[in-house]
Amino acid sequence: MKHFISIAEHSREFLLQTLETAQRLKKQLKETGHNDPIFKDKTAVLIFEKPSLRTRVSFTQAMLQCGGNAIVLTGDEVGLGKREPAKDVARVLSGMCDLIVARVFEHQKLLEMRQYASVPVINALSDYSHPCQAMADMLTLQEHFHRLEGLTLTYIGDGNNVARSLAVACGKMGLRFVCCTPAGYELPADDMDRIMAQVPGMDFEISGNPQDAVRQADAIYTDTWTSMGQESEKQKRIRDFQGFQINAELMKHAPERCVILHCLPAYRGLEITDDVIESPRSLVFPQAENRLHFQKALIAELMGIT
Ligand code: CP
Ligand code: NVA
C-alpha cells in the first residue's frame, strides 16, 4: 500500500514519474478539455481540520475531472481523536472509500491513519509538513526552467511545514535549498538532522540575511509568517519578521532570471508586497493551478492507475 505522508518516503524515481504523469494529464486536459475517466468508480474522502481553498478544490476537481467522486468533511465534523480515534476513522473509511486525504493539526494523526488504513492516505498539510504543495511547486519550476537539477530555491520566512517539505523536495530533485529565517524561526535542529539523513548530501544552506540569500536564487519562495493554529502569535511574529519581506528592494539583489513563488494564501504587505506578487516574475497563480495537475497524478500513481 502506497501512501503520501512525506516526500522522503518516496524514491526520486517515483517522484519524477509523478511529475511526468502530472505534465501528461495537464496536457491532455488543456488540449482536449477533459481527462480520461481513470478514477471511474473511485471515491476519495477528504478530511479538513483546518481551512483550505487550493487543496480542497484541487483534490475534489482531480477526482471529478477523472470520473471519480469526492466526499469532503470539514472542521470538527469527523472529530479525529475526539469523537473517535484516528485509527477507527481510517478503518471505517477504508471499508467505504478508495483514498483518504487529510489536513490535520497534529501530524501524528496522519501516521496513525496510515498504520490502520487499507487504502492510500495523503497528507494534505499538517503542522509538520505540506508535501503535496512542495511537489506541485517542483512541477511549476520544471515547467518554467525545463529542468530542476542545479536550480537554487531560496525560501525566506518561517521555518515551518512548507519549508520542511520544500527542503526535502529540493534534496530529492537535485536543487540547492537556501533557507533564510529570522533568529528563533529556523527549522529546528532535529528537523535539520532528519532532513539531512533522509536526503544525504543535499545542498542545504542556512541564512539569516535575505539580501545574501537571494543573490544566486532562481526562485524566491515565501509563505505566511503565521500558520494556521498560530494566530495568537501574529503580532509578535510581525515584529520578529521585519526585514524578511519579499519586496521590490529585496528583488534588486536577485538575478534577472529569478521567479517568485508563494503557496498562498498571501498576506500582502506582510511577507510579500502587492507589487511583487503581481509582477511578471511572479508564478504564484500558475503555481496554484499546478496543485490540481499534481494531485491528479499523485492519486493515479498511488492507486497504480496510469
Ligand atoms: N497552499 C495551500 O495549501 O492552500 P490552501 O490552504 O488554501 O489549501
Ligand atoms: N504554513 C501555512 C501554509 C498554508 C497553506 C499554514 O500551515 O497555515
Side-chain angles (χ1 to χ4, degrees):
M1 179 57 53
K2 277 194 183 140
H3 303 282
F4 195 71
I5 305 300
S6 73
I7 295 168
E9 69 198 356
H10 290 283
S11 67
R12 179 178 156 79
E13 291 65 37
F14 173 86
L15 299 169
L16 283 170
Q17 172 65 43
T18 307
L19 291 178
E20 202 179 305
T21 301
Q23 286 190 8
R24 181 167 53 77
L25 293 173
K26 180 173 182 177
K27 187 162 179 274
Q28 183 184 59
L29 182 67
K30 298 280 179 193
E31 286 180 357
T32 68
H34 56 84
N35 287 122
D36 295 338
I38 54 175
F39 303 152
K40 184 174 180 299
D41 298 329
K42 303 285 183 200
T43 299
V45 63
L46 319 183
I47 300 174
F48 283 90
E49 291 191 325
K50 304 182 189 187
S52 171
L53 175 68
R54 280 143 291 273
T55 310
R56 175 177 172 166
V57 175
S58 59
F59 272 111
T60 306
Q61 270 294 68
M63 290 305 296
L64 299 184
Q65 288 180 345
C66 293
N69 296 308
I71 298 170
V72 184
L73 305 168
T74 59
D76 279 336
E77 201 168 359
V78 178
L80 272 180
K82 286 181 237 144
R83 187 164 183 264
E84 57 189 313
K87 62 183 180 183
D88 289 6
V89 173
R91 285 173 288 183
V92 170
L93 294 177
S94 294
M96 301 183 189
C97 300
D98 305 283
L99 173 71
I100 300 170
V101 177
R103 170 169 289 194
V104 297
F105 279 99
E106 293 113 23
H107 191 75
Q108 182 54 36
K109 286 182 192 161
L110 288 171
L111 301 179
E112 192 176 325
M113 283 201 280
R114 172 175 64 183
Q115 192 182 339
Y116 287 88
S118 53
V119 298
V121 178
I122 296 179
N123 176 358
L125 180 147
S126 72
D127 54 341
Y128 185 73
S129 60
H130 197 4
C132 294
Q133 177 71 54
M135 284 309 301
D137 298 337
M138 294 297 120
L139 178 63
T140 304
L141 290 172
Q142 193 179 50
E143 279 180 331
H144 183 81
F145 290 104
H146 306 289
R147 67 187 171 104
L148 287 172
E149 292 254 17
L151 295 178
T152 295
L153 176 61
T154 296
Y155 176 89
I156 299 191
D158 187 22
N160 63 11
N161 46 7
V162 170
R164 273 185 210 97
S165 290
L166 282 173
V168 180
C170 286
K172 286 276 189 179
M173 298 292 108
L175 289 82
R176 178 163 165 257
F177 185 65
V178 181
C179 192
C180 179
T181 65
Y185 294 92
E186 301 90 350
L187 282 173
D190 54 340
D191 290 345
M192 292 286 300
D193 291 347
R194 191 175 305 119
I195 292 166
M196 292 312 293
Q198 287 166 338
V199 207
M202 80 165 279
D203 196 348
F204 194 153
E205 190 182 315
I206 300 297
S207 169
N209 182 320
Q211 283 86 1
D212 286 348
V214 301
R215 231 173 278 282
Q216 304 292 326
D218 295 294
I220 298 175
Y221 197 121
T222 190
D223 180 19
T224 181
W225 294 335
T226 308
S227 285
M228 292 179 275
Q230 300 174 329
E231 288 77 8
S232 64
E233 300 171 25
K234 184 167 181 180
Q235 292 311 320
K236 176 173 167 31
R237 284 172 170 266
I238 290 174
R239 287 193 299 276
D240 293 347
F241 280 82
Q242 288 313 301
F244 287 75
Q245 183 185 66
I246 313 299
N247 54 32
E249 179 53 35
L250 182 66
M251 292 309 295
K252 287 184 193 158
H253 298 268
E256 277 292 308
R257 63 179 186 277
C258 178
V259 297
I260 299 294
L261 298 175
H262 190 311
C263 59
L264 300 178
Y267 298 86
R268 288 166 163 81
L270 293 180
E271 75 273 7
I272 193 162
T273 53
D274 185 65
D275 58 322
V276 171
I277 212 166
E278 300 293 348
S279 72
R281 300 170 121 185
S282 164
L283 294 182
V284 298
F285 295 108
Q287 178 187 6
E289 182 191 319
N290 275 338
R291 297 293 308 279
L292 169 67
H293 309 298
F294 180 76
Q295 254 53 307
K296 224 176 253 176
L298 178 64
I299 298 167
E301 293 293 336
L302 292 178
M303 288 184 169
I305 311 168
T306 48

